[in-house]
Amino acid sequence: VDAPAKPNGCAVVLAAGKGYHGGLPLLKTCAERLSSEGFVVVRFEWAYFTAKKEPAPDLSTEIEDLEAAIAYAKGLDGVKKVIVAGKSLGSVAALLRAERKSDDLAGVALLTLPVHAPGKPALVFPEAEKVANLKLPVLILCGDKDDLCAPAAVYGLAASCDAAPTVVIVPGDHGLKEGEDEAKLQENVALAAHALAVWAKRRL
């Protein structure tokens, strides 16, 4: 839990990627930035990750993990609203949970959502298409060189929604990297964290 100095009454639950734990650059930087803006941030690891296993094929176990994290966040002192955000696999779990139940969420942020098969923007995953079913504010954020989330496919997905999601494209691949350039990675992650914080503040 990243506790802010001046809480704003909202918690953000950050769900990790398949092999992208909560201490890696994107989630760590997002947690720090959100906390500086007054959000309580809850990061957690998947049960399968801790047990050195694989996620459930339908992500049912991961949705249960996410549900537990949301319940934990709701129980924290002063928390009146909860936003769910996820990285890659975490974004799919967040999307599936929000489709199933969203009335207790202030918004859902899908960071590097896997939209299509690797390098094949026309082959959109059925899970990604569920964005169109959401009735709450949505942020989709990805890198401009992400082979699972090409900008054209993201905008096509957004166009299919009755309530258009906020779309943010920053430089980088699926991990927001640009080769081995550490400085660019830090800049890209900072851009993503800023965009998430601005979007989240507008959910208050």
Side-chain angles (χ1 to χ4, degrees):
V1 176
D2 296 89
K6 295 181 179 179
N8 62 22
C10 186
V12 179
V13 175
L14 283 179
K18 182 177 180 181
Y20 196 100
H21 63 74
L24 289 175
L26 179 59
L27 296 183
K28 182 175 184 292
T29 304
C30 283
E32 291 169 350
R33 178 59 191 269
L34 288 164
S35 180
S36 75
E37 297 287 355
F39 294 91
V40 176
V41 182
V42 177
R43 286 180 278 172
F44 67 97
E45 301 303 344
W46 303 113
Y48 77 79
F49 187 82
T50 305
K52 296 183 167 56
K53 296 183 179 179
E54 290 294 312
D58 61 356
L59 297 188
S60 56
T61 305
E62 288 63 54
I63 294 170
E64 288 179 10
D65 289 348
L66 179 57
E67 199 70 70
I70 292 169
Y72 177 81
K74 287 179 182 176
L76 295 173
D77 288 345
V79 171
K80 298 175 182 176
K81 291 184 177 182
V82 174
I83 291 170
V84 173
K87 161 81 173 90
S88 192
L89 178 140
S91 69
V92 178
L95 169 55
L96 295 176
R97 196 283 183 178
E99 185 200 29
R100 181 181 304 174
K101 178 176 170 60
S102 63
D103 58 358
D104 60 343
L105 301 177
V108 59
L110 309 173
L111 312 178
T112 69
L113 172 70
V115 173
H116 54 76
K120 298 179 179 179
L123 298 179
V124 176
F125 294 131
E127 294 84 359
E129 292 178 331
K130 293 179 183 293
V131 170
N133 301 331
L134 298 185
K135 306 298 183 187
L136 75 170
V138 176
L139 168 69
I140 302 175
L141 184 148
C142 64
D144 62 354
K145 298 174 185 66
D146 190 334
D147 66 354
L148 294 173
C149 196
V154 174
Y155 283 112
L157 186 64
S160 72
C161 301
D162 290 335
T166 299
V167 175
V168 175
I169 309 292
V170 301
D173 61 13
H174 197 61
L176 302 188
K177 295 180 180 179
E178 292 188 70
E180 298 302 316
D181 192 322
E182 186 65 25
K184 286 183 179 179
L185 170 62
Q186 292 178 3
E187 289 174 350
N188 297 346
V189 164
L191 281 172
H194 174 73
L196 175 59
V198 169
W199 176 85
K201 283 192 292 183
R202 294 178 182 178
R203 311 280 75 80
L204 297 176

